[in-house]
Structures are given as structure tokens and as C-alpha cells.
Amino acid sequence: MAMNRRDTFKLVGVAAAAAAMPSIATASEKKSAPKKTSGKSVVVVGGGFGGLTIAKALRKKDKSIEVTVIEKNNIFMACPFSNTLLGGLDGVSLDTFVGDYFQPAGKYDYDFVHATVTAIDRKAKTVTTTAGDIAYDILVLSPGIAYDYEKQFPTWSAEKIAEVSQACPAALMPGNEHIALKRQLENMDDGNVIIIPPAAGKYRCPPAPYERTAMVANYVKNEGIEGKVIVLDTRNGKFAKGAAFQESWKDLFPDIIEYNGLTEIVDIDTEKKTIAYKVFQDEADTEGALKTEKYEVCNLIPINKCSPVVAMAGIEVDGAGYAMMDGYSFRSKTDSNIYVIGDAVTHAIPPSGQTAIWAAHRAAGQITDQLNAKENDPKAGLPAKAANVCYSMVGSKPEEAIMVTHTFSADPSGKLKGKGHVPKPKDGGGKFRSKGTAKATREWFGGVMRELFS
């Protein structure tokens, strides 16, 4: 369903309500010395799926643990399932994705601080924010991702990056980017939509660009738009749920989706709305052929890197800034009082909303044991079947979806590792997609939102 004027007013209303709450700490308040810790004070940086889950889990496990969540946004917006907003699925609006941070904070009796983290002092065990310093005994980092335009396009200036990021919104981080991309789709006439998945490396929600391809094609088809959804990829069809997505694209949108699996983006002219890119014949082709394509809407998802908040802690990270872990646990390899969850870890498990929730529960158990001087076995309960379940909508008339499940285990490499399985459901008639899986998709998302906010 399109975001409309009514949705916009609702979003503004949530923000206004948040601003009016008396218990929230904001950037405008006077900074003060940090409150002394209790010995069981846990500070969580990041109020996404992982951050909210671990805050609640800690309080449920041990009421004596004091929890503070720091989040730079004053409104929660979910990223999983949000491609359905672009696809125009029935009953989906901005209301579907937003949440009120005060609701779980009040119910589970933890503090919520609306502020931006500017520094972390591991020696003093304090987090400096725009609302003041906050002391901790245990610090949990769940800050999410950042985009690395500079690595992918080293010749682009800061002005060029700003121009392209606004004109071609990535929409892999929740919020304004999704709204901008939705607006562009609603305002377009006939023409092409170009979707560019991250060119390399680990990135948030690996199936997301390909689910988006299906959902945008669904929108184009249902609106009678004359044009194609063109994917300029680097993975040559080897992506999450690849066979299931390509089967669905071929069956449902054969004249709309055009997938190009071996490409390299050269430049984007946002005034002329053109993309220059190379197409390679095969993986041995190093030269490629230069092509230019005109677009009406462009969704460029750049290479991902870890949020710079992790680097502030001065803990060991890999080349993309993700935290090195202590064995199979969610504790930092560098500092036993810092835990890392969500997208920011270097475990070989798929970064998804469900994975963040699973990791948050594991980390909550490890933290609770540490604070109560109990031994914890990070391999306990492994392998964990269906630790990650990830659904992707692929059509709307009828509504159908595909899915993947992952078993997480203790890999001999010393990391947690996920092994995926993409099933063909019993009601799919031999296909990967089915109406039953679509129903399960909505039920999963609704259940997760209820679990986070009630």
C-alpha cells in the first residue's frame, strides 16, 4: 500500500509524541557526570532487533540487572518485510513497520536514551553521547551497518556521493531511504527501474535486493507501468535463495525482470538519469563491454561496512569494521566486558532480523552468567536448527513467498557458522513459492513486532 498523506501525519505524530515524553534523555539536555554503576549495569548501543531483544531478555532473566538502551533515532522502523511496502501489498503501510521505544522500556523497566554515541572509553567504562556520559559494567554493541561508497567508488567526491545517495536511495537501513524510494516509484511514469545489489562483501539481509526485485516488479505489473526492472549484479545468480527467486521471477514477471549477473557500475548521472556500466561475458572476461541505460528510478545499494560505533570501542575488527569474536560467544575478542550482536559480528551466520534476535538471546544468557559469576558454555545448544528463518515475498495475486532456514553450529574454524536450506513447501505444487509461505511470512513479522513491543 502506498505511503499517503495520512501515513505521513502518523509518522510525524509518533515523533511528536516521543518528543513530549518526560522520561527521555535528549541531545538538548545538559550533560552531567555519569551515574555510578551497580555492578550489574548493562548499556546497549542500538535499538534495532538485536538491541531491543537483549534489553528485554536481560531484564527477564535477572531483575537486578540495570539496562540502558541508547538509540540515535527517536522512532523504531523495521527493515525486514519492508519491501512489501514498495510492492504495494494489501494492508501494508508505514504503521506496519514503526514502533514506540517507550512501550517496551516501560514494561520491562529499563532506561531508553535518545542520543548519538560520540566516544567509548573502555578504560573508564563509559559511553559518551550527545546526552551525556553513561557508565557501564557490560557494554553491548548492536549499532548496525554503514554504507561504504568510498570503497566502491574511490574517484567519487563527497558531493557526488551525497548526490547519488539521495537520488538513488539504498533503502537497506530503515527510515527516510525507504520513504524516498517509495515516493520515486509512485511518481514515476513509464520507464525502467534499476536495482543494484551490493557489489561485494558481507551485507545486511542477503535476500533483500532480490525480494525487492520481485516486489518492485509486482508494483510495476499491477500499476500497468510500461518498463522493466533491471538488476545489475555481480553474483551471476549465486545469491541467497537464488534458484527460488529466479524461478519466481520467470513464472510471475517474465517480461518485466531483466537480470544481469556479471556487471560493474562505472558511473551514474543523476541529472540525465543514466547509468554507465560494464557487462562481462563470463567470469574470465576482464574487459567487459560498456553500456548505458536510462532509468526512471534507481536503487543503488553500495558495499556495506560496520557502523563506526564499533571502531570507537577500540576492539579488534576485520577489514570492513566488523568485530572479531571470542570463540563461539558474542563477546569481543579484545574485551571481556564488551559484547557484539546483530550485523556487527564476524561469525559466519547470515545477518538478518531473526539472526539478530537469536544472537541477542544467546548473548543475554552469556552476560547474565558473567554478571553472576557462573560458567557459560557458548557451544551449549548447538547445533541450533532453524536458528534463522528468513521469508521473502515474491508475488501478490495470489500472495506468495519463499523461505530459507539455517542451522547454526560451532564450526571447526572457531566461528559460529550457518548452513541454509531452501525448501519446496507442500502447498507449492513443486515450486519454491506458495500461499502458505506467504501467510507464514506475515505471521512471522507480526509475531516479531509483538514480541519487541509488547
Side-chain angles (χ1 to χ4, degrees), residues 89-113:
L89 265 60
D90 290 342
V92 177
S93 69
L94 271 179
D95 276 358
T96 309
F97 304 98
V98 298
D100 165 17
Y101 281 118
F102 299 112
Q103 187 175 356
K107 181 170 182 177
Y108 297 100
D109 194 23
Y110 62 79
D111 293 330
F112 175 78
V113 178

Side-chain angles (χ1 to χ4, degrees), residues 267-276 292-295:
D267 197 17
I268 297 177
D269 187 326
T270 59
E271 289 191 7
K272 295 180 180 177
K273 288 192 165 185
T274 58
I275 293 181
T292 299
E293 194 77 56
K294 187 167 178 56
Y295 67 83

Side-chain angles (χ1 to χ4, degrees), residues 334-348:
T334 310
D335 189 326
S336 62
N337 295 314
I338 295 182
Y339 286 74
V340 186
I341 56 174
D343 301 291
V345 304
T346 47
H347 285 309

Side-chain angles (χ1 to χ4, degrees), residues 312-335:
M312 292 180 191
I315 58 176
E316 186 177 353
V317 297
D318 69 3
Y322 298 102
M324 302 301 290
M325 312 305 294
D326 180 13
Y328 303 111
S329 77
F330 285 93
R331 192 165 50 200
S332 159
K333 183 179 179 182
T334 310
D335 189 326

Side-chain angles (χ1 to χ4, degrees), residues 237-307:
K238 300 173 185 175
F239 49 80
K241 309 177 199 171
F245 274 119
Q246 292 182 79
E247 177 189 86
S248 301
W249 296 348
K250 182 179 178 182
D251 289 349
L252 302 177
F253 313 109
D255 299 323
I256 296 177
I257 294 176
E258 177 183 312
Y259 178 77
N260 300 276
L262 289 172
T263 67
E264 178 184 342
I265 305 303
V266 175
D267 197 17
I268 297 177
D269 187 326
T270 59
E271 289 191 7
K272 295 180 180 177
K273 288 192 165 185
T274 58
I275 293 181
Y277 63 100
K278 288 183 178 180
V279 179
F280 301 92
Q281 291 292 322
D282 51 42
E283 294 179 0
D285 180 6
T286 57
E287 297 295 325
L290 186 63
K291 295 186 67 174
T292 299
E293 194 77 56
K294 187 167 178 56
Y295 67 83
E296 284 300 310
V297 174
C298 174
N299 168 218
L300 168 63
I301 310 173
I303 291 173
N304 287 191
K305 61 183 178 181
C306 191
S307 164

Side-chain angles (χ1 to χ4, degrees), residues 87-89 213-223 253 256 394-397:
L89 265 60
T213 299
M215 286 291 91
V216 172
N218 181 72
Y219 179 79
V220 167
K221 181 179 180 179
N222 290 343
E223 293 296 317
F253 313 109
I256 296 177
V394 293
S396 68
K397 296 179 184 303

